[in-house]
Amino acid sequence: MSTKDFVEKDYYKVLGVPKDATDAEVKKAYRKLAREYHPDANKGDAKAEERFKEISEANDVLGDPKKRKEYDEARALFGNGGFRAGPGGAGGNFNFDLGDLFGGAPGGGQTAGAGGFGGGGGGGLGDVFGGLFNRGGAGTRVQPRRGQDIESEVTLSFTEAVDGATVPLRMSSQAPCKACSGTGDKNGTPRVCPTCVGTGQVSRGTGGGFSLTDPCVDCKGRGLIAQDPCDVCKGSGRAKSARTMQVRIPAGVLDGQRIRLRGKGSPGERGGPAGDLYVVVHVDAHPVFGRKGDNLTVTVPVTFPEAALGGEVKVPTLGGPPVTLKLPAGTPNGRTMRARGKGAVRKDGTRGDLLVTVEVSVPTDLGADAQDALEAYRKATAGEDPRAELFQAAKGA
Ligand SMILES: [Zn+2]
Ligand SMILES: [Zn+2]
C-alpha cells in the first residue's frame, strides 16, 4: 500500500467498523467480510474480487497496531480523504514523541511509502510523505536537518600559507538550546507546524507544473512550533555556542582563498549531518618573498660587475638553506632566473620554483679606489652610447 492510500482510503469504512473499534472488533469484521467476498466463494465475480482486495488491504493496516497508529495520524494530519496543501491543511495539535524526535539515530528501514507518489508535478508531496513515513513505523516523523554552514576567516603568516598550518579557530555557531533540549518549547512538547506539516519547507507552484521549495516562514524551517516558547531561545530551539577548533589549513593556500572543511560546521538537528565550515584565508605579506601560484618570488640585488662579468650569487630560500645561482656574463637588470623545487608545496607534495629576479644595485658611497676604477671604466667605454637605439626608435613611429 502507498502512503497516498493512507490518506485517500477510509479503511474503517471498508471494514465497516467505527474509528474507535478494538483490535478484536477489527479482526472479527475482517473475518466476516473475507469469508463473504473470498474469490473461492465468488468465482468469476470481478467486483467481489476487487472488494476482497480492499478488505485485505484495510486489514493489513488496521489489523497491525503500529500501521493503524500511523494511518490514524496521517488522516488526522491531512483530513479525511483529500489532502489540502498549504496553510490550514494540517490538523494542528499533534504532539511528538520527543525521544524519537531528538534522540538522534533514525531507526529502522524504509517502508514502501513515498516512492512514485508526487513525482509527476505534485511538487513536494513526496517530501511530505517521505518525511512523515519513511522511517519505518512509529519512529521519527520530522526529517533530520543538516546543520548550517559556517563562514570563518583566518590570517596566516606567509610561511604558514606555504607550508600549511594547524590554527585555532574560534567560532560561534548554532547549537541546540540547552534549556529546552532544542525543542524550543518550555515543557519540551512542541507541536508540528501546521503550515508545512513538519517538513520545514513549503512548495510554491510556478504555473508550469513545476514547484519551488522555500523554507517555511511560520516555523523558520524547523517543522516545529513551540506551544509555550522557551525563555532562553525564544522558541527557536537553537542557541549560540562558541567553540574553538583546531583547523588544518593545507599547504600552498593563497591569499583570499576559500577553503571548505566538510562536516565542520554547525551540528545537525534530529540526527542530521553537520554543515560545512568555509574558511576564507588571508595571508600576510613576507618582507622578502612573494607568491605566484606555486612559485615563490624573490628579488636579489647584484653588483654591476657581477651582472656584467658573471658570477655566483647566493640566494635565500623560504625556510631552507640558501641556494647558489650562476649568473652568466652580461646578465641584464631585471632578468628572472629559476631555482627549481624551491617554491611552495603543491597539492601532490611536489614543490614549485623560486623565481629570482636580478636587480643591479648602484653604489652611493664609493671608496677612492672604486671611484678611480669607475673613472677608468668610463674612459674605456667613452665611445658607447646606450641610448642610440632609443632615439632611433623614437624617430621611427
Ligand atoms: Zn512550518
Ligand atoms: Zn530553548
Side-chain angles (χ1 to χ4, degrees):
M1 107 227 54
S2 76
T3 44
K4 188 183 177 189
D5 293 339
F6 266 25
V7 177
E8 289 191 342
K9 292 187 181 171
D10 189 343
Y11 294 139
Y12 290 101
K13 211 168 151 189
V14 170
L15 293 187
V17 294
K19 283 207 171 57
D20 56 1
T22 63
D23 290 352
E25 283 167 344
V26 169
K27 197 181 256 178
K28 201 178 147 198
Y30 164 68
R31 281 191 178 149
K32 182 174 169 284
L33 289 168
R35 266 197 304 274
E36 192 174 90
Y37 290 97
H38 197 279
D40 290 349
N42 301 273
K43 286 226 160 66
D45 184 344
K47 264 191 184 159
E49 199 185 321
E50 194 53 42
R51 182 94 172 90
F52 182 76
K53 271 186 198 157
E54 268 178 28
I55 293 159
S56 303
E57 194 183 314
N59 181 61
D60 276 348
V61 174
L62 299 187
D64 179 339
K66 211 165 118 185
K67 282 187 192 162
R68 184 176 174 186
K69 193 164 162 260
E70 271 191 64
Y71 173 69
D72 288 345
E73 284 168 354
R75 288 176 66 80
L77 275 176
F78 299 118
N80 294 334
F83 171 71
R84 284 166 292 143
N93 288 310
F94 187 77
N95 284 313
F96 283 85
D97 178 347
L98 290 174
D100 287 341
L101 270 180
F102 299 99
Q110 310 242 324
T111 57
F117 180 55
L125 281 182
D127 286 345
V128 170
F129 287 110
L132 285 168
F133 295 111
N134 68 8
R135 303 238 161 258
T140 311
R141 288 174 195 88
V142 177
Q143 285 177 317
R145 220 178 146 208
R146 184 177 174 276
Q148 278 179 318
D149 292 340
I150 303 177
E151 189 92 26
S152 189
E153 286 181 309
V154 69
T155 299
L156 300 181
S157 74
F158 187 88
T159 308
E160 284 174 329
V162 171
D163 294 343
T166 301
V167 291
L169 205 60
R170 193 177 154 74
M171 293 176 304
S172 67
S173 67
Q174 295 285 305
C177 169
K178 283 203 177 81
C180 61
S181 308
T183 62
D185 191 282
K186 230 181 230 169
N187 307 311
T189 52
R191 62 190 177 95
V192 72
C193 171
T195 310
C196 63
V197 287
T199 61
Q201 297 182 327
V202 286
S203 294
R204 129 178 97 81
T206 55
F210 294 97
S211 68
L212 297 170
T213 308
D214 294 325
C216 175
V217 179
D218 290 351
C219 63
K220 299 188 178 61
R222 299 183 65 238
L224 298 172
I225 288 181
Q227 306 198 78
D228 194 0
C230 164
D231 293 327
V232 179
C233 64
K234 306 278 178 281
S236 73
R238 303 297 269 171
K240 273 237 179 321
S241 90
R243 52 187 171 135
T244 302
M245 246 174 42
Q246 297 295 318
V247 170
R248 178 70 198 164
I249 307 291
V253 70
L254 292 169
D255 185 42
Q257 200 171 324
R258 197 159 168 265
I259 292 173
R260 178 189 185 195
L261 297 157
R262 211 181 272 267
K264 300 283 186 190
S266 284
E269 286 183 76
R270 302 186 285 274
D276 297 333
L277 168 64
Y278 290 91
V279 184
V280 176
V281 180
H282 302 287
V283 181
D284 282 339
H286 192 278
V288 167
F289 297 100
R291 275 285 286 282
K292 241 184 193 174
D294 299 331
N295 297 327
L296 294 179
T297 61
V298 65
T299 298
V300 177
V302 298
T303 65
F304 179 71
E306 278 172 338
L309 305 174
E312 290 191 342
V313 175
K314 262 193 180 169
V315 176
T317 62
L318 187 72
V323 290
T324 302
L325 219 63
K326 272 203 174 108
L327 280 192
T331 297
N333 184 51
R335 154 112 9 129
T336 296
M337 309 173 75
R338 196 176 283 265
R340 295 208 182 269
K342 301 294 176 192
V345 181
R346 295 195 186 100
K347 272 195 194 114
D348 62 4
T350 62
R351 278 178 176 271
D353 303 330
L354 176 61
L355 305 178
V356 184
T357 301
V358 169
E359 188 181 73
V360 175
S361 68
V362 176
T364 51
D365 197 12
L366 290 171
D369 286 354
Q371 184 122 18
D372 289 349
L374 272 179
E375 288 295 352
Y377 176 75
R378 194 210 296 265
K379 268 181 208 140
T381 58
E384 290 171 21
D385 182 2
R387 290 169 291 279
E389 259 181 49
L390 175 75
F391 280 90
Q392 198 61 41
K395 260 187 254 169

